């Protein structure tokens, strides 16, 4: 509807979102989901975009949604495509009418105060950014680097999703590499644009993370169209889609497991990263140090396998260019076993990022999508607060501290916390105490969504200057 020009403003309403919704999320003024919470996919991505979002409206309301018919009903009030609704991301309120809004404006006094904070602050503040637009917003808001660039969000653009799907459905390595060759220029172009925006600021690029079924079509007409493009029968492609579907994708075939199964994916992403860094370095005269993050490692041998692919491709490209370019390969600690064996993993990893969202899910053993409905846990004071909104310093925090310590015992690695979940709460005091804890844990930097960059506090941390020098 937006593409055709029939509607200028839309609110995306979904049962829950996944990476395949990224294009729809980008063109929406607001996002409303039935399931979820403050750290679900919709909430995390919307914060990064600066888009208004109400996630998990079904937790406290009677909601029925029919995505095929494009209707939803909340507390007996039915809405159809074209109806006006307004949402308030701060309160979670949903209005069945058009509500007048006022654009946010700058505040000189606030900017002056934050200038004082930045002058005294010693905590390095980075951000999540998945495209050039987000990177520019991050720089404008004062980010000192990108701590997490989620490459899967680059795959859903209309001009590349078809090639990505061809890669997933390929029956041979040759077919898969041919499809990846179509994707590579798009990834390289995005990385080049982001490197130009970031200048001398560091950027960490996380390789493909979600399970492959999230990239495949689910509607019959889309499956038929893709099957025709790939020279497959509808039935064969339908079987491929069904075979890749996972009931528990969080713990499924994702992250580094994809690169172990299909090393050509990691090879393509390495070519895109290194070529982009070489090109922008030649343009600017500043030699970039790419930071490549392998996700969901739980065993050091997994990391070594994928790292070997990265190193082979990267070294060949750098040698051919005749440039003295360094690069680093690290991992995101988001599986408890990775935290417990961090000393071994640090033999291969040159930096750690702590993915507190997945680490919290796997440590507690419950899903971010289901916990908010378990109100009895809060009413009976089993949990004082949602551990996805407030970092569990006793359990998850202990794993983070231990992994940071053990990793540094092996080598002087750079470590930081990705606080997309732990800084999700709208209460500034909770966010502040989380960041104070990050400082006490001797983590020299934190990675926030762009809009949370405004929460830059007067914090101090040990060894900060040395680690910045090593990281950059």
């Amino acid at each position: 509807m937006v593409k055709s020009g029939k509607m200028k403003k839309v609110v995306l309403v979904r049962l829950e979102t996944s990476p395949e919704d990224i294009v729809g999320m980008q063109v929406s003024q607001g996002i409303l989901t039935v399931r979820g919470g403050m750290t679900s996919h919709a909430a995390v991505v919307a914060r990064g975009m600066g888009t208004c979002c109400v996630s998990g409206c079904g937790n406290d309301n009677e909601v029925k949604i029919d995505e095929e018919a494009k209707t939803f009903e909340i507390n007996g009030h039915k809405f159809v495509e074209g109806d006006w609704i307004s949402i308030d991301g701060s309160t979670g309120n949903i209005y069945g009418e058009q509500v007048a809004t006022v654009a946010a404006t700058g505040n000189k006094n606030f900017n002056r105060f934050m200038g004082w904070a930045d002058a005294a602050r010693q905590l390095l503040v980075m951000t999540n950014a998945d495209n050039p637009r987000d990177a520019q917003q991050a720089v404008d808001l004062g980010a000192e680097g990108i701590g997490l660039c989620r490459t899967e969000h680059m795959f859903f653009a209309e001009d590349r999703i078809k090639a990505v799907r061809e890669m997933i459905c390929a029956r041979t390595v040759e077919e898969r590499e041919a499809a990846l060759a179509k994707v590579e220029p798009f990834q390289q172009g995005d990385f080049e644009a982001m490197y130009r925006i970031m200048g001398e600021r560091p950027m960490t690029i996380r390789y493909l993370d979600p399970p492959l079924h999230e990239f495949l079509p689910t509607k019959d007409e889309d499956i038929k169209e893709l099957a025709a493009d790939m020279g497959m029968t509808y039935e064969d492609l339908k079987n491929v889609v069904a075979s890749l579907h996972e009931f528990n994708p969080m713990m499924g075939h994702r992250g580094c497991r994809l690169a172990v199964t299909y090393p050509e994916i990691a090879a393509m992403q390495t070519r895109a990263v290194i070529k982009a860094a070489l090109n922008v370095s030649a343009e600017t005269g500043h030699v970039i140090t790419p930071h490549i993050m392998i996700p969901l490692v739980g065993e050091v041998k997994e990391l070594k396998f994928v790292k070997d692919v990265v190193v082979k491709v990267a070294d060949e490209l750098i040698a051919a260019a005749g440039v003295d370019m360094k690069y680093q390969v690290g991992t995101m600690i988001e599986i408890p076993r990775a935290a417990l064996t961090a000393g071994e993993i640090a033999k291969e990893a040159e930096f750690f990022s702590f993915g507190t969202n997945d680490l919290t899910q796997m440590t507690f053993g419950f899903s971010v999508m289901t916990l908010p409905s378990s109100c009895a846990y809060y009413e009976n004071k089993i949990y004082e607060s949602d551990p996805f909104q407030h970092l569990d310093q006793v359990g998850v925090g202990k794993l983070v501290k231990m992994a940071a310590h053990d990793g540094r015992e092996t080598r002087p690695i750079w470590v930081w916390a990705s606080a997309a979940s732990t800084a999700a709460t709208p209460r500034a005091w909770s966010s502040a105490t989380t960041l104070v804890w990050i400082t006490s844990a001797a983590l020299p930097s934190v990675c926030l969504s762009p809009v949370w960059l405004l929460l830059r506090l007067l914090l101090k941390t040990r060894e900060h200057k040395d680690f910045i020098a090593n990281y950059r």
Side-chain angles (χ1 to χ4, degrees), residues 117-433:
D118 285 341
R121 172 178 53 82
Q122 292 186 26
L123 186 70
L124 183 66
V125 181
M126 298 187 291
T127 187
N128 304 332
D130 307 327
N131 54 59
R133 183 195 65 183
D134 290 351
Q136 187 60 61
Q137 181 187 27
V139 170
D140 293 342
L141 290 174
E144 296 172 283
I146 293 175
L148 176 60
C149 172
R150 295 164 287 204
T151 56
E152 59 268 15
H153 287 170
M154 298 175 172
F155 286 178
F156 284 97
E158 190 174 3
D159 56 358
R160 59 195 80 172
I161 184 61
K162 183 177 175 181
V164 173
R165 288 170 171 171
E166 289 178 5
M167 177 271 294
I168 294 170
C169 297
R171 288 158 288 195
T172 66
V173 173
E174 290 74 21
E175 287 182 357
R176 191 171 300 110
E177 289 180 335
L180 287 168
K182 299 177 184 178
V183 179
E184 184 181 322
F186 294 114
Q187 283 243 290
Q188 181 180 333
D190 285 343
F191 295 147
E192 287 183 4
M194 295 177 74
Y195 275 134
R196 291 188 187 101
I197 292 167
M198 298 310 295
E200 296 187 12
R201 301 174 187 87
M203 177 167 74
T204 301
I205 297 169
R206 185 182 73 184
Y207 279 11
L208 186 63
D209 184 35
L212 295 180
H213 78 267
E214 293 190 359
F215 297 93
L216 292 177
T218 55
K219 296 180 180 179
D220 286 345
E221 57 267 31
D222 294 333
I223 294 175
K224 289 177 181 177
E225 181 183 348
L226 180 61
D229 291 338
M230 296 190 62
M232 299 175 66
T233 66
Y234 164 75
E235 289 74 18
D236 285 345
L237 184 54
K238 183 86 170 177
N239 289 335
V240 171
V241 173
S243 69
L244 289 173
H245 180 75
E246 299 192 39
F247 290 101
N248 189 4
M250 183 194 75
M251 301 178 71
H253 192 212
R254 54 169 285 218
C256 67
R257 299 160 192 171
L258 293 173
V260 170
T261 306
Y262 308 114
E264 52 271 21
I265 297 177
M268 180 279 288
Q269 293 201 283
T270 303
R271 286 193 296 271
V273 171
I274 299 300
K275 286 180 181 178
L278 288 169
N279 288 347
V280 177
S281 295
E283 289 176 12
T284 63
H286 166 69
V287 180
I288 294 167
T289 300
H291 296 83
I292 296 169
M293 181 155 63
I294 311 302
L296 211 74
V297 166
E299 160 63 53
V300 67
K301 294 175 185 176
E302 289 177 310
L303 178 57
K304 185 179 187 311
F305 182 93
V306 182
K307 183 181 177 181
D308 286 347
V309 175
V310 173
V311 169
K312 182 178 184 297
V313 174
D315 286 355
E316 288 176 356
L317 290 171
I318 293 171
V323 178
D324 184 20
M325 173 178 284
K326 308 297 183 185
Y327 61 91
Q328 293 188 2
V329 180
T331 189
M332 180 171 274
I333 304 292
E334 46 198 327
I335 294 178
R337 190 180 189 280
L340 294 170
T341 62
E344 286 296 307
I345 289 175
K347 293 177 181 179
E348 297 292 338
E350 295 172 276
F351 61 84
F352 286 168
S353 168
F354 291 94
T356 53
N357 207 355
D358 275 358
L359 188 57
T360 297
Q361 292 192 77
M362 295 195 190
T363 301
F364 276 90
F366 47 52
S367 170
V368 65
M369 303 302 293
T370 58
L371 180 66
S373 62
S374 305
C375 298
Y377 273 74
Y378 307 130
E379 294 170 357
N380 294 299
K381 301 298 181 182
I382 295 172
Y383 296 140
E384 294 293 330
S385 59
D386 186 341
F388 293 104
Q389 296 182 33
H390 314 273
L391 180 68
D392 166 40
Q393 298 176 19
V394 176
V396 177
K398 185 175 183 179
L399 287 174
V400 171
K401 282 187 174 182
M402 180 176 62
H405 172 271
D406 291 353
R408 286 174 175 161
E409 287 290 296
T410 299
R411 70 159 85 187
I413 59 172
W414 177 265
V415 294
W416 71 89
S418 179
S421 59
T422 54
T425 175
R427 289 179 288 177
W429 173 248
S430 175
S431 300
T433 54

Side-chain angles (χ1 to χ4, degrees), residues 103-129:
T105 58
N107 185 306
K108 292 182 179 179
N109 289 332
F110 177 79
N111 291 339
R112 185 181 183 190
F113 173 78
M114 294 313 299
W116 296 339
D118 285 341
R121 172 178 53 82
Q122 292 186 26
L123 186 70
L124 183 66
V125 181
M126 298 187 291
T127 187
N128 304 332

Side-chain angles (χ1 to χ4, degrees), residues 26-93:
Q26 288 171 342
V27 300
S28 300
Q29 277 64 51
I31 299 165
L32 175 65
T33 67
V34 179
R35 296 177 185 165
M38 296 188 72
T39 58
S40 60
H41 179 268
V44 171
V45 174
R47 267 195 300 276
M49 294 177 172
T51 300
C52 180
C53 177
V54 174
S55 180
C57 68
N59 297 335
D60 304 307
N61 301 279
E62 290 292 329
V63 182
K64 300 176 183 177
I65 184 169
D66 187 337
E67 294 181 345
E68 290 294 324
K70 299 182 179 179
T71 66
F72 79 99
E73 184 177 317
I74 181 166
N75 297 334
H77 192 126
K78 186 175 182 179
F79 296 90
V80 301
E81 185 179 63
D83 287 349
W84 276 103
I85 65 169
S86 301
I87 60 176
D88 185 336
S90 298
T91 64
N93 289 342

